[in-house]
Amino acid sequence: MTLSGNLLGPDPTYLPTDPAAAELAGGAAADAVAAAHPTSSLAWALLAERALTDGATITAYAYARTGYHRGLDQLRRNGWKGHGPVPWSHEPNRGFLRALAALHRAAAAIGETDEVERTRTFLDECDPVAAKELGL
C-alpha cells in the first residue's frame, strides 16, 4: 500500500492560469476583461475592489459575489471538494481569494454580520496568509 498526499487533510487546490490575467496585467480595463472573460474571478475581484474604493458598496458586493461564485465553480472543476487549502502563494488562486476578501469587506460595509463571519472563516480555511496579504 502506497500513501501519498496530506494525511491530515485534503491536498491544496491549484487553479490553472486565468487567461484574463495577462490582459489585466497589460492594463486592460477590468470591466472590458470581465465582459470578455466572465469566468475570471480576478476581473470581478478588481471591479469589486475599485467599487469599494469608490464607495459603491452594493456594486462592490455584486461584483465580489460574482467573482466568488465563478471561483467556486473553478475550484470544483479542479478537484476541490468544498474544503481544503487554496494557497495564496499560487498566483492563479489569488483572483478567487481577492473576490472572497472583497465580499468580506462589502458585507461588513452593509452590516451583513453572518456573511462577514462566514467569509473570514472561509478565507482563513483557504489560507491564513491570504487574509494578511489582503489587509484583513
Side-chain angles (χ1 to χ4, degrees), residues 106-131:
I110 63 173
E112 191 178 357
T113 308
D114 290 343
E115 184 82 319
V116 170
E117 292 174 16
R118 186 186 67 76
T119 53
R120 180 55 194 248
T121 299
F122 190 12
L123 192 58
D124 286 340
E125 288 173 353
C126 286
D127 188 346
V129 171

Side-chain angles (χ1 to χ4, degrees), residues 73-93:
D73 292 343
Q74 291 173 355
L75 286 167
R76 288 182 188 112
R77 279 194 303 273
N78 285 278
W80 186 76
K81 303 290 188 215
H83 63 283
V86 181
W88 172 262
S89 60
H90 182 65
E91 186 77 30
N93 290 350

Side-chain angles (χ1 to χ4, degrees), residues 33-111:
V33 174
H37 302 279
T39 61
S40 172
S41 288
L42 180 58
W44 292 109
L46 291 172
L47 287 168
E49 291 167 353
R50 184 177 69 203
L52 283 167
T53 298
D54 293 345
T57 307
I58 300 302
T59 300
Y61 187 92
Y63 285 147
R65 180 148 306 273
T66 301
Y68 164 78
H69 281 286
R70 294 300 189 147
L72 288 177
D73 292 343
Q74 291 173 355
L75 286 167
R76 288 182 188 112
R77 279 194 303 273
N78 285 278
W80 186 76
K81 303 290 188 215
H83 63 283
V86 181
W88 172 262
S89 60
H90 182 65
E91 186 77 30
N93 290 350
R94 292 183 183 181
F96 167 73
L97 296 168
R98 287 174 71 173
L100 179 56
L103 182 57
H104 173 82
R105 285 188 173 97
I110 63 173

